[in-house]
Amino acid sequence: MPEWTARSLAMVRQIRWRLDTAPWPQLAASRFFRSTWDRCPEDDRTHVLAQLAWAARHCTTLVPADGEGMRYAARLHRDAQLRAEPRIMPGPRPSVEDQLKAALILAASERTAALSTHEAPERALPVILDAADQAPGPVLDRWAALPEPTRAAAMSHLAWTARRAAAPHEPTDTAGRLAHWLRDEAQLWEDHIRRLGRVGQFRAPLAQIGECALSVQLEAAVRLLTAGRTGTLPPSPYMCGCCGYDRALTVVRQPTPSGPPRARLLCEMCVLLGDASVDPSPHTADRTAASPRGRARPPTARE
């Protein structure tokens, strides 16, 4: 799975939010927007296209267009539908201008599908409430049975209600980082629509949520629900991130390929054994990166 950079995530956010102010052909013709795209490194542009294609894979059709940009968007869309997780499609790429058109077509298609067939978050909220109350039964199976857009819509709703919650505790696990990131995204969205003087609905990026394990999604949703009720995001569980021990833990900060170091709770034995520097592959998703406010970016892998 690719390692998304902070720059590519910021560019995805910019594309998605700019579509609330102008149609995609107008953005494609904007000199300012094209210069912003041109200044992006090639790897970041590739990551942006992969993320947008993955988010649009649920669309049955793409917005009508023609030219090389449309053909490239269709190729990315078909490739994303055939994969179980986001990947960077190999092969030749069109010009930078056509890549921008493909990115805008994919983002516009995902936005149109979400607005026309919005999944009511009420379908997922009973599952989240049962998980918060630790109700007996296969709660995780019920969560997995929900369509991915429905889960994303529920988490978007909870993040919006928790956008003003305090976060006095640094997250030290994947679910905590996902909950913090969604709250931060909702805050950024609120600032965005306030500057525009418009009313809009916050939609969390489907690609980033879908890359997290179902158990991580459900736990993050429960923490956002708690934050909306109490006004404070709950802390991560006090347990070692490697072995699960819950005594004499130390916060260890590990470097990441993009952004500030991430924090993990480790016991003394795991630190002595070197687990502080060698992160097991199931936890490689617990990475963070700087956002425009210097906050965390989402963990984007399965646990």
Side-chain angles (χ1 to χ4, degrees), residues 58-130:
H58 296 288
C59 301
T60 55
T61 58
L62 299 179
V63 294
D66 53 17
E68 185 61 29
M70 179 61 188
R71 287 189 287 271
Y72 189 52
R75 285 172 51 203
L76 292 171
H77 184 238
R78 287 194 300 268
D79 184 75
Q81 289 178 322
L82 296 174
R83 297 184 182 274
E85 58 184 25
R87 295 290 185 190
I88 295 174
M89 189 178 72
R93 301 186 181 95
S95 65
V96 175
E97 181 179 354
D98 287 328
Q99 290 180 37
L100 173 59
K101 290 181 180 179
L104 291 171
I105 289 170
L106 291 168
S109 301
E110 187 268 333
R111 180 178 184 274
T112 301
L115 294 178
S116 60
T117 59
H118 177 67
E119 294 282 354
E122 289 78 9
R123 293 181 56 192
L125 289 179
V127 182
I128 299 172
L129 290 171
D130 288 346

Side-chain angles (χ1 to χ4, degrees), residues 1 174 208 211-213 216 281-282 284-287 299-303:
M1 185 175 296
T174 315
Q208 278 70 43
E211 288 179 356
C212 294
V216 172
S281 56
T284 54
D286 288 339
R287 54 185 184 263
T300 52
R302 307 187 182 277
E303 189 172 70

Side-chain angles (χ1 to χ4, degrees), residues 36-70:
T36 303
W37 178 261
D38 291 343
R39 287 196 299 268
C40 282
E42 183 178 356
D43 289 344
D44 290 335
R45 291 197 300 266
T46 304
H47 287 183
V48 168
L49 289 165
Q51 292 177 64
L52 293 175
W54 181 253
R57 73 190 187 281
H58 296 288
C59 301
T60 55
T61 58
L62 299 179
V63 294
D66 53 17
E68 185 61 29
M70 179 61 188

Side-chain angles (χ1 to χ4, degrees), residues 214-228:
L214 294 174
S215 58
V216 172
Q217 295 177 22
L218 185 57
E219 177 61 27
V222 170
R223 296 187 196 182
L224 289 171
L225 174 67
T226 303

Side-chain angles (χ1 to χ4, degrees), residues 5 139 168 176 188 212 223 262 281 290 295:
T5 64
V139 179
L188 289 171
C212 294
R223 296 187 196 182
R262 70 171 184 192
S281 56
R295 292 173 178 162

